[in-house]
Amino acid sequence: MPLCVTENGCAADDYVGPDGVVNDLERVSYLHRHLDAAARAIRDGANLSGYFVWSLLDNFEWAWGYQRRFGIVFVDFGTQRRIPKASARFYADVARANAVPPVAAP
């Protein structure tokens, strides 16, 4: 039976740095670990047909409200400006390569 991972992600205290970039390295690490586990499961014979990150955009979440952020795209709630986070670039690299690239050590 095919399996599909949906809504996999983590809450974090993301912010826009002085350089205008959102370096959500905690989420990049989280996604890397989970995508690497998914790739190992496929190599071991699991019929994993899909993986969807939660969430594309920061939004209101029932448990945290607007305090924690879940998306791979930062949303300035006051202006609605969107800024792709480091995790968005990482996830795009995974999709483009159809492989989990190594993550640079901190």
Side-chain angles (χ1 to χ4, degrees), residues 24-102:
D24 59 335
L25 301 181
E26 178 183 0
R27 184 172 293 102
V28 171
S29 175
Y30 177 93
L31 291 173
H32 184 270
R33 290 190 316 270
H34 284 81
L35 288 166
D36 190 55
R40 284 194 320 270
I42 290 169
R43 283 193 302 272
D44 291 346
N47 187 3
L48 182 60
S49 64
Y51 177 98
F52 297 89
V53 69
W54 178 254
S55 164
L56 174 65
L57 301 172
D58 290 332
N59 59 355
F60 180 85
E61 200 275 336
W62 291 110
W64 292 100
Y66 292 112
Q67 293 176 332
R68 305 278 312 253
R69 295 185 178 260
F70 288 80
I72 60 175
V73 175
F74 184 91
V75 176
D76 179 321
F77 297 124
T79 66
Q80 294 300 300
R81 179 175 168 228
R82 271 90 162 139
I83 302 170
K85 301 176 186 179
S87 58
R89 291 185 295 280
F90 170 76
Y91 198 57
D93 289 345
V94 169
R96 200 173 6 263
N98 193 29
V100 182

